[in-house]
Amino acid sequence: MSEPMMAKAYNPHEVETTLYDWWEKQGFFTPEQQLNSGLADPAQPPFVISMPPPNVTGALHLGHAITSSVEDMLIRYHRMAGNPTLWVPGTDHAGIATQNVVERQLEKQGMTRHTLGRERFVQEVWDWKDEYHGRITAQQRRLGISCDWTRERFTLDEGLSQAVLTAFVQMYEEGLIYKGNYLVNWCPRCMSAISDLEVDYEEVTGKFYTFRYPLADGGYLEVSTTRPETILGDTAVAVHPDDERYRQAVGKTAIVPVLGREIPVIADAYVDPEFGTGALKVTPGHDPNDYEIAKRHNLPMINIMNKDATLNEAAGKYAGLDRYDARKELWADMQAAGLVVGAKEHTHQVGHCQRCNSVVEPLLSEQWWVKMQPLAEPALEAVRSGAVQIVPQRFERVYNHWLENIRDWCISRQLWWGHRIPVWYGPDQTAFAAHSTAEAQAKAQAHFGRSVELVQDPDVLDTWFSSGLWPFSTLGWPAQSKDFATFYPTSVLETGYDILFFWVARMIMMGLKFTGQPPFHTVYLHGLVRDEQGRKMSKSLGNALDPLDLIAQYGTDALRFTLLTGGTPGNDIKLAENRVEANRNFANKIWNAARFVIMRLEDGAPEVDGSDPNSPLYLLPPNDLLNLPDRWILSRLEAVRQETTRLVDNWQLGEAGRQLYEFLWNEYCDWYIEAAKVRLNEDTAVEAQATRQVLAFVLEQSLRLLHPFMPFVTEAIWQNLPGVGQGAPDNAGSSPVAEGDRPQARALIVTRWPAAGERRQETAETDFGRIQEIVRGIRNVRSEYDVPAPKRISALFSASEINDLLTENLPLLIALARLDAAETLVAAELVAPSKAATLAAAGATVYLPLAGLVDLAAERKRMQGEIANIDRQLGRIESMLNNPGFTGKAPAEVIEREQSKQAELQGRRVQLAERLSEL
RNA sequence: GGGUGAGUAGCUCAGCUGGUUAGAGCGCACGGUUCACAUCCGUGAGGUCGAAGGUUCAAGUCCUUUCUCGCCCACCA
């Protein structure tokens, strides 16, 4: 195949979709294909992630981008490590959210769901789902996620619906699901109950109204409220039992203003005498605390509100008014009646519907509930025992606290979009939970002894009910499927910490309940993506960055790398656009380094190891052909391989990425490639060839290490490497060869993560470090003396102990420090020229005559500064080494390091001082 | 009220198990037509690591107190 010339700059858009389609078509995302191709080792445990399903009608945002980046990183890493790897994608029907979207759409056409009727409305939502499903999944593909699309699921699929039915019926039969009339959080806009978690509390400045509650036998009590309309539902006034002020009032009768209803004055310890007037109006139908008080005192509970937050007949003359209008009118009437004491500003927490931001009302209503305590216990134990580990660990406390104080979960929603509650009622309201109408009928028949007409419960389940089953329902449960047997429990559940309760805790509870096992062994929580000022990104603030825009501007890899390396686990990340840009530059940098290497490989192809697809693509030359830079970069590569592997295994993904960045840019590009040029240009053919192989070897291994972080640019480069051969995207799908006969394509995505090498050479690192120190020192002097960059200068090295090192690597020094070869000399000892800048580095003294440029006074000053700097450091070290506490207690290794540093500094000091005295 | 995270260079952040002169990117200054890359190269300036105590031979890193900001949970009418 003809090698396509690599473009001068990396263009993400030329490769991303092509590569993605090719990967997908090749089947690399499926565990079956990984096993068939020999990448995955059947002896290794599978690595499985259930993808948090995005809302099917949602649009991609940075939350999805960070989730995808982290999960795809883990998936690619484990796939390369040889685990059969499965990442199950899917979408969520997102009950209220989706229904609201469609309802808003209907509204624009002057319709409501009721004008359409249930069946047609649900059909309408399905149409939406079909339209938008393609959009969200296409957007996810742009992120490069290597999930197994052949196993994609939707929460309202047949299979997942079966899971929901099974779970519901079983829990119902065990008494874990029950129906009851309780106070719920009611959203008057959604016209549905919502769970505690779906209520967001916001601080609101309202009014604190104080008024007189008349007593039947004269007098009054002063009482305060933030919601005067609830007076209409009062069934008592309560005071603290020990409150002297109100002792006589207890037992008396109060009169509800306007309505004239008689209610008792009671004593209850809940009342805080310090707060307000110390007397509390009790509205059991519209306040959770009052509800509890009412239960203790057997008070009646009055519901004054309709489901749309207008008042009902119980409100007397206010019936039909909206809650806020009623508030005003009632207050005006009270004022007229002389009952008003006053109203002052008051800030307090008010519950809002998470989905539509309406103010939520506590309302008495009959709903379905899950009994949580019995589910919470095992879920707590799973984390306590370590069967489930949460990363970062601090979230375990949050998790524990929530589960220890858990309350029953309201799971019924008065919506049409979702899993309809599988309960049918007979003529006498007897309830039958069943998997189907037919089964319900059979149950009813058995119960009544005859066939009766059944009516199914109209409500649907909270969308998080089906989400709780996701890790196993997507694998086929309740059927005993092969996938379930093979891939359950999954490995890691990765998501943002904001849905720890909504989703993660419920999955653990449901997983333990229905499969007897925790659904995953690790929970990895990432932070939330915020704007540069740390604010939440939102449409209304207009500060939301669109991941698709960022991808269009900088490429997918740049965005992914930024999200992966821009923060630390569990902490929010403030996304600065210039970091994305910097990482775009990084992708380009690698691209160009590769371009250079590949061009040079045209002078002599490197030896390819074709024997084992799991070993490095290129062979290394024999040791005796390796020079210092070769040995150095190989040693560094091995160190970085070890470090990144360790870091990824310890969930320090960002740190791993940052290390690769620094290795590739600051070591491979800045030093090794520059050093390699010397040998490629000047040495013998055999040596040049050896260097070409090292260049190729290190590049190829680095691409593997970087691939999970930057999948596209690494694969694009890899496909251009000589020896990769056929299989490039150009051939994908269009080959006339039958599927089975086509040679297995080679792709970076299915190469092995580099295995441990034996190339670590501390001496090479020390020696090359000396060269670097000297080169940097010379560059520094050049810069200080304003030597024009292209100008070659003469240099005299009085090398003493590193004479051999410098002699051997003289061409390297000449090239990197831009020395004049004809006027450069290395010797163990040489006489200092009279007029030269002097540098003490790495044990050598370097004289740079810099004809005509050296100003002796300036040079003296420069050296004095240098000596002062050395003295500062020496002072620090000496006080350490003179401290018996240090020498007695510090590890030998640390002491040795300080000693050798001291020796080196003293050496340099002597060199500089000698020179200074000569000047 | 309880819990928790953050406070490190002008900005955005690293610094993982305490041990070289605390790092990066961007920005800034100076210099660059070095045959991969100006999405680049070289050099440099810039930090009492929020504050105060303490533990330790040694603290940005551990402990206590404290200040500022953020988030989560919680029934104060």
Side-chain angles (χ1 to χ4, degrees), chain A residues 85-104:
Chain A
T85 298
L86 172 62
W87 189 11
V88 185
T91 48
D92 194 300
H93 69 281
I96 297 189
T98 303
Q99 174 158 333
N100 282 353
V101 170
V102 178
E103 281 192 278
R104 247 175 265 136

mmCIF file of all heavy atoms in Angstrom, chain A residues 85-104:
data_model
loop_
_atom_site.group_PDB
_atom_site.id
_atom_site.type_symbol
_atom_site.label_atom_id
_atom_site.label_comp_id
_atom_site.label_asym_id
_atom_site.label_seq_id
_atom_site.Cartn_x
_atom_site.Cartn_y
_atom_site.Cartn_z
ATOM 1 N N THR A 85 -13.004 -7.083 27.080
ATOM 2 C CA THR A 85 -13.530 -5.819 27.562
ATOM 3 C C THR A 85 -14.868 -5.492 26.936
ATOM 4 O O THR A 85 -15.028 -5.580 25.718
ATOM 5 C CB THR A 85 -12.512 -4.701 27.254
ATOM 6 O OG1 THR A 85 -11.312 -4.997 27.954
ATOM 7 C CG2 THR A 85 -13.027 -3.358 27.687
ATOM 8 N N LEU A 86 -15.799 -5.134 27.815
ATOM 9 C CA LEU A 86 -17.136 -4.802 27.323
ATOM 10 C C LEU A 86 -17.621 -3.513 27.960
ATOM 11 O O LEU A 86 -17.591 -3.349 29.177
ATOM 12 C CB LEU A 86 -18.124 -5.928 27.679
ATOM 13 C CG LEU A 86 -19.606 -5.624 27.393
ATOM 14 C CD1 LEU A 86 -19.850 -5.387 25.916
ATOM 15 C CD2 LEU A 86 -20.492 -6.760 27.903
ATOM 16 N N TRP A 87 -18.067 -2.619 27.103
ATOM 17 C CA TRP A 87 -18.646 -1.362 27.576
ATOM 18 C C TRP A 87 -20.045 -1.270 26.985
ATOM 19 O O TRP A 87 -20.199 -1.194 25.769
ATOM 20 C CB TRP A 87 -17.762 -0.203 27.106
ATOM 21 C CG TRP A 87 -18.103 1.141 27.682
ATOM 22 C CD1 TRP A 87 -18.943 1.420 28.709
ATOM 23 C CD2 TRP A 87 -17.589 2.401 27.242
ATOM 24 N NE1 TRP A 87 -18.983 2.774 28.945
ATOM 25 C CE2 TRP A 87 -18.152 3.392 28.055
ATOM 26 C CE3 TRP A 87 -16.691 2.786 26.236
ATOM 27 C CZ2 TRP A 87 -17.860 4.754 27.892
ATOM 28 C CZ3 TRP A 87 -16.404 4.129 26.083
ATOM 29 C CH2 TRP A 87 -16.983 5.102 26.911
ATOM 30 N N VAL A 88 -21.027 -1.367 27.857
ATOM 31 C CA VAL A 88 -22.413 -1.439 27.389
ATOM 32 C C VAL A 88 -23.027 -0.045 27.318
ATOM 33 O O VAL A 88 -23.154 0.628 28.334
ATOM 34 C CB VAL A 88 -23.268 -2.294 28.349
ATOM 35 C CG1 VAL A 88 -24.681 -2.456 27.796
ATOM 36 C CG2 VAL A 88 -22.621 -3.634 28.599
ATOM 37 N N PRO A 89 -23.379 0.386 26.118
ATOM 38 C CA PRO A 89 -23.992 1.711 25.983
ATOM 39 C C PRO A 89 -25.517 1.623 26.026
ATOM 40 O O PRO A 89 -26.082 0.526 25.994
ATOM 41 C CB PRO A 89 -23.546 2.154 24.599
ATOM 42 C CG PRO A 89 -23.496 0.867 23.813
ATOM 43 C CD PRO A 89 -23.168 -0.239 24.795
ATOM 44 N N GLY A 90 -26.134 2.770 26.108
ATOM 45 C CA GLY A 90 -27.585 2.798 26.070
ATOM 46 C C GLY A 90 -28.107 4.170 26.405
ATOM 47 O O GLY A 90 -27.342 5.082 26.719
ATOM 48 N N THR A 91 -29.392 4.288 26.324
ATOM 49 C CA THR A 91 -30.031 5.574 26.622
ATOM 50 C C THR A 91 -31.170 5.355 27.609
ATOM 51 O O THR A 91 -31.681 4.252 27.761
ATOM 52 C CB THR A 91 -30.577 6.236 25.355
ATOM 53 O OG1 THR A 91 -31.329 5.264 24.618
ATOM 54 C CG2 THR A 91 -29.464 6.792 24.487
ATOM 55 N N ASP A 92 -31.548 6.456 28.245
ATOM 56 C CA ASP A 92 -32.558 6.421 29.285
ATOM 57 C C ASP A 92 -33.817 7.125 28.768
ATOM 58 O O ASP A 92 -33.717 8.178 28.137
ATOM 59 C CB ASP A 92 -32.011 7.157 30.518
ATOM 60 C CG ASP A 92 -32.842 6.873 31.755
ATOM 61 O OD1 ASP A 92 -34.051 7.180 31.756
ATOM 62 O OD2 ASP A 92 -32.277 6.349 32.726
ATOM 63 N N HIS A 93 -34.968 6.570 29.090
ATOM 64 C CA HIS A 93 -36.204 7.220 28.616
ATOM 65 C C HIS A 93 -36.472 8.505 29.381
ATOM 66 O O HIS A 93 -37.179 9.384 28.911
ATOM 67 C CB HIS A 93 -37.388 6.271 28.731
ATOM 68 C CG HIS A 93 -37.796 5.965 30.141
ATOM 69 N ND1 HIS A 93 -37.132 5.052 30.924
ATOM 70 C CD2 HIS A 93 -38.789 6.459 30.909
ATOM 71 C CE1 HIS A 93 -37.720 5.003 32.116
ATOM 72 N NE2 HIS A 93 -38.730 5.839 32.134
ATOM 73 N N ALA A 94 -35.857 8.620 30.582
ATOM 74 C CA ALA A 94 -35.867 9.880 31.324
ATOM 75 C C ALA A 94 -37.256 10.455 31.525
ATOM 76 O O ALA A 94 -37.533 11.589 31.153
ATOM 77 C CB ALA A 94 -34.963 10.896 30.627
ATOM 78 N N GLY A 95 -38.116 9.646 32.116
ATOM 79 C CA GLY A 95 -39.518 9.974 32.370
ATOM 80 C C GLY A 95 -39.936 11.415 32.295
ATOM 81 O O GLY A 95 -40.326 11.927 31.238
ATOM 82 N N ILE A 96 -39.854 12.110 33.428
ATOM 83 C CA ILE A 96 -40.364 13.477 33.480
ATOM 84 C C ILE A 96 -39.665 14.376 32.471
ATOM 85 O O ILE A 96 -40.304 15.154 31.765
ATOM 86 C CB ILE A 96 -40.165 14.092 34.894
ATOM 87 C CG1 ILE A 96 -40.981 13.305 35.918
ATOM 88 C CG2 ILE A 96 -40.615 15.538 34.910
ATOM 89 C CD1 ILE A 96 -41.013 13.964 37.284
ATOM 90 N N ALA A 97 -38.351 14.264 32.378
ATOM 91 C CA ALA A 97 -37.603 15.167 31.517
ATOM 92 C C ALA A 97 -38.113 15.087 30.087
ATOM 93 O O ALA A 97 -38.388 16.098 29.444
ATOM 94 C CB ALA A 97 -36.114 14.832 31.583
ATOM 95 N N THR A 98 -38.233 13.863 29.591
ATOM 96 C CA THR A 98 -38.650 13.697 28.212
ATOM 97 C C THR A 98 -40.115 14.095 28.019
ATOM 98 O O THR A 98 -40.465 14.787 27.066
ATOM 99 C CB THR A 98 -38.442 12.239 27.770
ATOM 100 O OG1 THR A 98 -37.070 11.917 27.971
ATOM 101 C CG2 THR A 98 -38.821 12.057 26.323
ATOM 102 N N GLN A 99 -40.949 13.665 28.951
ATOM 103 C CA GLN A 99 -42.363 14.022 28.821
ATOM 104 C C GLN A 99 -42.520 15.549 28.794
ATOM 105 O O GLN A 99 -43.293 16.095 28.007
ATOM 106 C CB GLN A 99 -43.189 13.430 29.970
ATOM 107 C CG GLN A 99 -44.626 13.917 29.943
ATOM 108 C CD GLN A 99 -45.603 13.013 30.675
ATOM 109 O OE1 GLN A 99 -45.387 11.803 30.793
ATOM 110 N NE2 GLN A 99 -46.697 13.589 31.133
ATOM 111 N N ASN A 100 -41.768 16.237 29.637
ATOM 112 C CA ASN A 100 -41.838 17.698 29.653
ATOM 113 C C ASN A 100 -41.449 18.305 28.312
ATOM 114 O O ASN A 100 -42.078 19.244 27.838
ATOM 115 C CB ASN A 100 -40.926 18.267 30.739
ATOM 116 C CG ASN A 100 -41.557 18.148 32.112
ATOM 117 O OD1 ASN A 100 -42.721 17.769 32.229
ATOM 118 N ND2 ASN A 100 -40.801 18.463 33.139
ATOM 119 N N VAL A 101 -40.405 17.764 27.713
ATOM 120 C CA VAL A 101 -39.948 18.293 26.430
ATOM 121 C C VAL A 101 -41.065 18.172 25.389
ATOM 122 O O VAL A 101 -41.374 19.118 24.662
ATOM 123 C CB VAL A 101 -38.686 17.532 25.956
ATOM 124 C CG1 VAL A 101 -38.344 17.896 24.527
ATOM 125 C CG2 VAL A 101 -37.514 17.850 26.870
ATOM 126 N N VAL A 102 -41.674 17.019 25.351
ATOM 127 C CA VAL A 102 -42.720 16.812 24.339
ATOM 128 C C VAL A 102 -43.956 17.651 24.668
ATOM 129 O O VAL A 102 -44.588 18.221 23.774
ATOM 130 C CB VAL A 102 -43.067 15.318 24.229
ATOM 131 C CG1 VAL A 102 -44.188 15.097 23.229
ATOM 132 C CG2 VAL A 102 -41.837 14.527 23.830
ATOM 133 N N GLU A 103 -44.256 17.754 25.955
ATOM 134 C CA GLU A 103 -45.413 18.572 26.324
ATOM 135 C C GLU A 103 -45.201 20.028 25.936
ATOM 136 O O GLU A 103 -46.125 20.699 25.460
ATOM 137 C CB GLU A 103 -45.669 18.464 27.835
ATOM 138 C CG GLU A 103 -46.397 17.189 28.209
ATOM 139 C CD GLU A 103 -46.911 17.221 29.649
ATOM 140 O OE1 GLU A 103 -46.105 16.937 30.548
ATOM 141 O OE2 GLU A 103 -48.087 17.540 29.825
ATOM 142 N N ARG A 104 -43.985 20.499 26.119
ATOM 143 C CA ARG A 104 -43.706 21.895 25.742
ATOM 144 C C ARG A 104 -43.888 22.069 24.245
ATOM 145 O O ARG A 104 -44.377 23.082 23.771
ATOM 146 C CB ARG A 104 -42.275 22.269 26.160
ATOM 147 C CG ARG A 104 -42.269 23.322 27.262
ATOM 148 C CD ARG A 104 -40.861 23.610 27.755
ATOM 149 N NE ARG A 104 -40.536 22.820 28.936
ATOM 150 C CZ ARG A 104 -39.391 22.184 29.139
ATOM 151 N NH1 ARG A 104 -38.436 22.221 28.215
ATOM 152 N NH2 ARG A 104 -39.185 21.509 30.249
#
